[in-house]
């Protein structure tokens, strides 16, 4: 499933085609994705201008001139293609399968910029909703979403407070969207390795008894920000036919230190450990038991 860096890469790829442009025509090839598309979806988009394309957690948020926001989520296998004349781009690079089969082209936006933007989603876990801008923060999908990890408000004190009374592991806490938004399996594993913290460590150890952040919380916040910045700079992570807007493959997967590297040598300088895979909450965790404590 795409995580924050992959969704941000998609946002940056779509923004030039969408921002300041009007929906001239919207085609729907089916009535639903993960949920039914909103009532009057076509009419509520056509003729409206996209005043800005933002992102919150793993949601793309297109602000419309009508005062509504088009919320879009890629789900497991959603992707966009942007065609301008004969030139086609596929913004975003994900660590998952994607398809070019036209049978899975579910929604097509024709923009006044001249771009045709196609949403393709073979597994249909994706989502498109229309929400009033002023009701967005209270929307059931947004209400519980935790802080943006790249935002200034996200710091050691905030993370320590969120984890202080948790009975879960660090892996589970960081994967919890209420604690911090947008992280999934890949970047949680990578951030914990960079911070040299074990995924099995109790999340509560990020805080002192009085709830203040420990040095571990400081290290972990820095590692989270670093790994996300590095991944966004690389255009996200990809395994297969995943291309950025400029046609290059997102290549952060070559920088994975532990994710998907079971049995390989730990890349921490001076560490002679081997990357191990364990299962936590049904998901694979990759880490180095030698240098992650
Ligand atoms: Zn190591």
């Amino acid at each position: 499933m795409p995580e924050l860096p992959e969704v941000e890469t998609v946002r940056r790829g779509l923004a030039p085609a969408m921002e300041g442009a009007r929906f001239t025509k919207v085609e729907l090839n089916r009535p639903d994705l993960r949920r039914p598309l909103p009532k009057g979806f076509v009419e509520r988009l056509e003729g409206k201008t996209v005043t800005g394309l933002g992102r919150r957690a793993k949601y793309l948020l297109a602000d419309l001139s009508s005062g509504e926001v088009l919320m879009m989520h890629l789900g497991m296998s959603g992707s966009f293609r942007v065609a301008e004349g004969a030139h086609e781009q596929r913004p975003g690079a994900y660590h998952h399968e994607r398809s070019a089969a036209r049978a899975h082209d579910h929604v097509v936006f024709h923009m006044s910029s001249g771009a045709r933007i196609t949403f393709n989603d073979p597994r249909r876990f994706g989502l498109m909703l229309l929400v009033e801008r002023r009701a967005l923060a209270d929307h059931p999908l947004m209400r519980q979403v935790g802080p943006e990890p790249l935002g200034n408000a996200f710091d050691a004190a905030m993370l320590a407070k969120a984890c202080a009374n948790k009975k879960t592991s660090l892996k589970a806490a960081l994967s919890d969207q209420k604690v911090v938004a947008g992280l999934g399996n890949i970047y949680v594993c990578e951030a914990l390795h960079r911070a040299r913290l074990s995924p099995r460590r109790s999340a509560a150890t990020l805080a002192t008894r009085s709830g203040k952040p420990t040095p571990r919380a400081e290290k972990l916040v820095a590692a989270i920000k670093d790994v996300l910045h590095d991944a966004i700079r690389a255009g996200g992570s990809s395994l297969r036919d995943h291309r950025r807007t400029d046609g290059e493959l997102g290549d952060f997967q070559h920088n994975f230190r532990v994710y998907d590297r079971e049995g390989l040598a730990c890349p921490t300088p001076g560490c002679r450990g081997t990357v191990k895979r364990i299962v936590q909450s049904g998901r694979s965790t990759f880490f180095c038991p030698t240098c992650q404590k």
Side-chain angles (χ1 to χ4, degrees):
M1 186 182 281
E3 302 179 30
L4 187 152
E6 289 76 42
V7 178
E8 178 59 23
T9 301
V10 172
R11 190 195 69 74
R12 294 178 181 195
L14 288 177
M18 293 189 88
E19 285 185 331
R22 200 174 67 251
F23 292 90
T24 53
K25 187 176 154 197
V26 175
E27 295 174 67
L28 292 188
N29 297 325
R30 55 175 307 121
D32 59 342
L33 298 168
R34 176 172 14 136
R35 297 186 185 177
L37 287 155
K39 278 206 175 75
F41 187 65
V42 170
E43 295 73 21
R44 285 157 75 182
L45 290 178
E46 283 181 351
K48 312 303 183 296
T49 299
V50 177
T51 55
L53 183 64
R55 177 190 58 72
R56 174 79 173 100
K58 300 181 200 171
Y59 292 91
L60 292 166
L61 302 173
D63 267 291
L64 306 177
S65 51
S66 59
E68 289 193 301
V69 177
L70 171 61
M71 277 176 78
M72 300 179 278
H73 195 282
L74 300 164
M76 305 285 285
S77 60
S79 69
F80 288 96
R81 299 196 305 274
V82 181
E84 287 173 290
H87 185 60
E88 191 168 273
Q89 302 173 340
R90 307 174 110 212
Y94 327 123
H95 199 73
H96 70 62
E97 205 172 329
R98 65 195 279 183
S99 164
R102 304 284 151 147
H104 305 302
D105 288 352
H106 304 313
V107 182
V108 185
F109 300 136
H110 298 262
M111 308 301 297
S112 61
S113 59
R116 190 179 74 241
I117 300 167
T118 303
F119 182 68
N120 180 291
D121 187 3
R123 296 217 250 165
R124 274 192 283 115
F125 282 103
L127 194 68
M128 287 199 192
L129 297 174
L130 284 165
V131 182
E132 285 285 338
R133 169 43 80 176
R134 54 170 193 273
L136 188 67
D138 293 324
H139 190 277
L141 293 172
M142 286 282 141
R143 212 163 39 209
Q144 304 247 24
V145 176
E148 281 293 317
L150 295 178
N152 291 336
F154 180 67
D155 61 9
M158 182 181 265
L159 182 61
K161 196 175 161 208
C163 290
N165 298 310
K166 284 231 177 284
K167 304 258 183 291
T168 57
S169 66
L170 270 182
K171 169 80 187 305
L174 294 185
S175 303
D176 179 350
Q177 300 300 300
K178 294 196 278 295
V179 171
V180 56
L183 298 185
N185 218 23
I186 295 175
Y187 297 105
V188 169
C189 292
E190 292 293 312
L192 286 170
H193 182 263
R194 288 183 184 217
R196 302 201 187 175
L197 294 174
S198 170
R200 294 191 279 211
R201 167 181 283 280
S202 159
T205 63
L206 295 184
T208 63
R209 279 219 182 115
S210 59
K212 295 270 188 306
T214 60
R216 290 182 204 106
E218 304 275 358
K219 261 181 13 184
L220 185 53
V221 165
I224 290 169
K225 290 180 189 269
D226 282 350
V227 74
L228 294 177
H229 280 303
D230 287 353
I232 291 169
R233 208 172 297 127
S237 304
S238 55
L239 283 184
R240 303 177 199 193
D241 179 25
H242 304 333
R243 287 173 197 285
R244 304 193 303 208
T245 26
D246 54 8
E248 295 294 315
L249 287 167
D251 61 4
F252 190 70
Q253 70 280 5
H254 302 305
N255 300 319
F256 289 167
R257 298 187 187 177
V258 287
Y259 188 81
D260 217 10
R261 291 176 59 84
E262 184 181 13
L264 297 176
C266 171
T268 297
C271 178
R272 297 173 162 239
T274 301
V275 176
K276 196 176 167 195
R277 186 182 75 91
I278 57 172
V279 175
Q280 290 178 291
S281 315
R283 306 285 310 273
S284 288
T285 298
F286 298 89
F287 76 114
C288 171
T290 306
C291 65
Q292 290 181 252
K293 298 295 179 188

